[in-house]
Amino acid sequence: MADFVYGISTFERRRGDLPQLPVVNMLGENIPVEPGVTLQSRPGLEETSVTMGGGPVRELFQIDGVLNNGLFGLSGNKLFNGSEEIGTVDGNGNPSFCGYEDFIFVNAGEGIYRYNGTEFGQVLFPDEADVLKITVGASRLIALRKDTGTFYWSEPLGITIPSLNFATAENVPDKLLDVLFIADRLYLFGSETVEIWPAGTDQDLPFQPLPGATFPVGIKATGCATQVDRSFAWISNYNEVCLGAPENIISDPELQVRISKSTKTRLWRFFIDDNEFLAITLDNETWVFGIRNQLWAQFKSYDKDNWVCTCYENGHFGTTRSGTLAKWSDEYNDFGDIIQRTFNGWIPLTGEPLWLSNIVLRTNPGTTPFLEGEYSNPFVELRTSQDGGRTWQPWQKQFLGLQGQYRVRTMWSSQGQFGYPGVMVQVRNSDPVPFRVSGLSYNEPFGGIW
């Protein structure tokens, strides 16, 4: 008996014709009672009671203590407070929210808009120029002026921005594209550099550059930076995903190629069971990185071009499917539709052919809910490839057992002979049941009989 090498973190490298080990809708966990890394299904999705117009919901915002803890969202170009429409926000750029205790601000690439619970209007900005991104830091509203290296700020708790309250990112004269305020520091992301400007006590110049604290890489675009894990992450102008520092690159070369080819790129974060994840939304792909497990996966929605979730705040997802918000579900389906969970296994071969008498999946049979009909005895499927995944044999079903049938062995027998370059298998589960993977082995003996 021996084990497959199976994907625990999505790996693809098409250059060099390497075998592909994608992980779709599953996440790796280190489980003490199981050897190696276990793959767990992501939760399903269900609608919440909050509906924000017709969608898509582009951004959500909620902070304890800000406007009675209200949940705000930008759906299309409409600002919502819960399900109540507030007003229209101009701009088709990456949206951003921020706020004081008694005001919220929203921007979508043009003007800045404010709302205090009763009144909605536009923030006066110098020259009526367009604004790329906003944030709040040191009790001031901070805004990036479009197509410049200049950022502006309000007076403390101010709702207008004076024309003389500005500074220019000065170490390298590049355009500012994004901004974050974390702890007492302002992070200014330019097209070629990242500068750090701590907040100070000077009322005329409340933010000043930190000497020697300029990163020699920039950011890909507005919307490609987010706070995460008490630090921040961003997608650089080299299409690398960096965590906290430019040398801490968490992306692989193939993901960077995909980022470079996408016309749309957005970086955001969400939580599952209080574990934090980064999400990269591309034209028709969503890639997810676990901060704790340091592993990548791809999230997909069945029969859709991409994962429908595009933003997250305090347990709520904004989606592309409608203006109705979504949340994690206790069921293993997305809005009543299936979740297709897949991973690949690989045996490299260079010498003698291999007779594959059986393939055994270590999983969780008998833990399925008490479902009726076709899902009462759910199944998992496997298919094999002799050419590294270019062509595949038909799918083969194996049952996972009825509720309580915990000793069901998930095994496929008589798979045939394989030679160079090796054995590729793909496993998928589409039924609305819990599904985890703790091992994938082959040619397991049964009482001395192979």
Side-chain angles (χ1 to χ4, degrees):
M1 181 184 72
D3 294 324
F4 279 84
V5 175
Y6 67 88
I8 58 173
S9 181
T10 287
F11 171 79
E12 293 191 2
R13 189 57 175 142
R14 301 189 186 281
R15 182 182 298 176
D17 202 23
L18 294 168
Q20 311 299 305
L21 301 178
V23 179
V24 179
N25 289 329
M26 304 193 78
L27 297 166
E29 290 185 4
N30 288 306
I31 307 295
V33 296
E34 292 287 354
V37 175
T38 294
L39 292 177
Q40 299 270 26
S41 172
R42 72 161 172 86
L45 292 165
E46 64 183 10
E47 293 183 345
T48 73
S49 60
V50 179
T51 300
M52 296 181 172
V57 179
R58 298 161 60 190
E59 184 63 292
L60 295 170
F61 176 77
Q62 183 179 47
I63 295 181
D64 288 346
V66 175
L67 281 187
N68 299 316
N69 305 329
L71 176 63
F72 299 91
L74 187 64
S75 177
N77 285 99
K78 301 296 184 180
L79 174 64
F80 281 82
N81 180 3
S83 297
E84 177 189 0
E85 183 178 330
I86 302 302
T88 300
V89 176
D90 292 333
N92 296 315
N94 180 79
S96 54
F97 279 89
C98 59
Y100 306 142
E101 182 178 357
D102 56 351
F103 270 96
I104 67 157
F105 304 94
V106 60
N107 166 259
E110 294 186 14
I112 306 173
Y113 295 81
R114 56 181 171 81
Y115 177 65
N116 67 356
T118 56
E119 296 180 353
F120 173 78
Q122 191 165 352
V123 173
L124 296 178
F125 191 80
D127 305 321
E128 299 183 352
D130 288 341
V131 173
L132 276 182
K133 180 74 180 285
I134 58 173
T135 190
V136 162
S139 299
R140 300 171 186 266
L141 173 62
I142 302 163
L144 304 185
R145 184 166 178 160
K146 188 176 180 180
D147 294 330
T148 72
T150 304
F151 66 98
Y152 288 73
W153 59 85
S154 70
E155 297 300 322
L157 301 180
I159 59 171
T160 62
I161 297 181
S163 60
L164 297 181
N165 284 14
F166 73 92
T168 301
E170 52 196 33
N171 288 309
V172 174
D174 56 346
K175 293 180 181 179
L176 291 179
L177 297 175
D178 216 318
V179 60
L180 297 174
F181 188 85
I182 304 173
D184 64 345
R185 295 187 172 192
L186 193 64
Y187 293 85
L188 298 167
F189 297 86
S191 58
E192 296 182 3
T193 62
V194 179
E195 297 188 15
I196 303 174
W197 289 51
T201 58
D202 188 330
Q203 295 301 307
D204 294 326
L205 190 58
F207 308 100
Q208 298 188 27
L210 185 64
T214 298
F215 297 152
V217 299
I219 193 170
K220 181 178 177 65
T222 308
C224 290
T226 186
Q227 183 174 348
V228 64
D229 191 31
R230 304 173 184 87
S231 182
F232 63 97
W234 82 102
I235 302 174
S236 76
N237 53 325
Y238 300 106
N239 301 300
E240 301 163 337
V241 185
C242 303
L243 185 60
E247 62 270 14
N248 188 19
I249 301 170
I250 59 174
S251 53
D252 62 36
E254 181 65 24
L255 177 55
Q256 290 161 201
V257 170
R258 291 172 181 268
I259 292 172
S260 70
K261 293 181 178 180
S262 180
T263 60
K264 176 180 68 176
T265 309
R266 190 165 193 264
L267 184 67
W268 51 288
R269 66 171 182 166
F270 64 90
F271 289 83
I272 302 177
D273 298 331
D274 294 328
N275 292 318
E276 194 170 13
F277 293 85
L278 281 174
I280 301 174
T281 301
L282 304 178
D283 289 339
N284 50 21
E285 300 172 318
T286 298
W287 299 85
V288 172
F289 179 79
I291 298 301
R292 177 174 293 183
N293 63 25
Q294 301 285 290
L295 301 174
W296 287 95
Q298 187 176 6
F299 280 10
K300 290 184 177 181
S301 295
Y302 183 72
D303 204 26
K304 300 288 190 299
D305 292 337
N306 206 338
W307 193 35
V308 297
C309 297
T310 57
C311 58
Y312 177 91
E313 187 62 64
N314 198 19
H316 297 80
F317 285 99
T319 74
T320 58
R321 67 190 298 268
S322 70
T324 302
L325 303 189
K327 64 179 180 179
W328 293 126
S329 169
D330 293 331
E331 306 292 334
Y332 288 90
N333 62 70
D334 285 346
F335 316 107
D337 208 345
I338 70 173
I339 305 173
Q340 198 164 87
R341 298 156 287 190
T342 65
F343 74 96
N344 284 18
W346 171 247
I347 307 171
L349 297 175
T350 57
E352 295 296 321
L354 172 68
W355 285 95
L356 203 58
S357 60
N358 62 63
I359 299 173
V360 180
L361 176 68
R362 184 169 176 81
T363 184
N364 53 328
T367 60
T368 61
F370 289 100
L371 300 173
E372 298 180 355
E374 61 179 317
Y375 300 132
S376 60
N377 191 4
F379 58 84
V380 61
E381 299 172 282
L382 176 142
R383 63 179 180 175
T384 62
S385 173
Q386 295 187 340
D387 52 17
R390 294 181 185 84
T391 60
W392 296 91
Q393 296 299 310
W395 289 103
Q396 305 169 54
K397 293 182 179 180
Q398 182 59 256
F399 289 101
L400 287 171
L402 299 168
Q403 176 74 29
Q405 289 184 319
Y406 302 121
R407 293 179 60 82
V408 172
R409 185 185 294 272
T410 306
M411 181 187 71
W412 296 265
S413 59
S414 303
Q415 296 301 302
Q417 186 183 62
F418 293 81
Y420 181 84
V423 184
M424 175 72 78
V425 301
Q426 187 172 71
V427 178
R428 77 178 181 188
N429 175 270
S430 303
D431 287 352
V433 297
F435 182 61
R436 60 108 170 138
V437 174
S438 300
L440 188 67
S441 58
Y442 62 96
N443 290 353
E444 181 174 332
F446 301 98
I449 301 174
W450 292 77

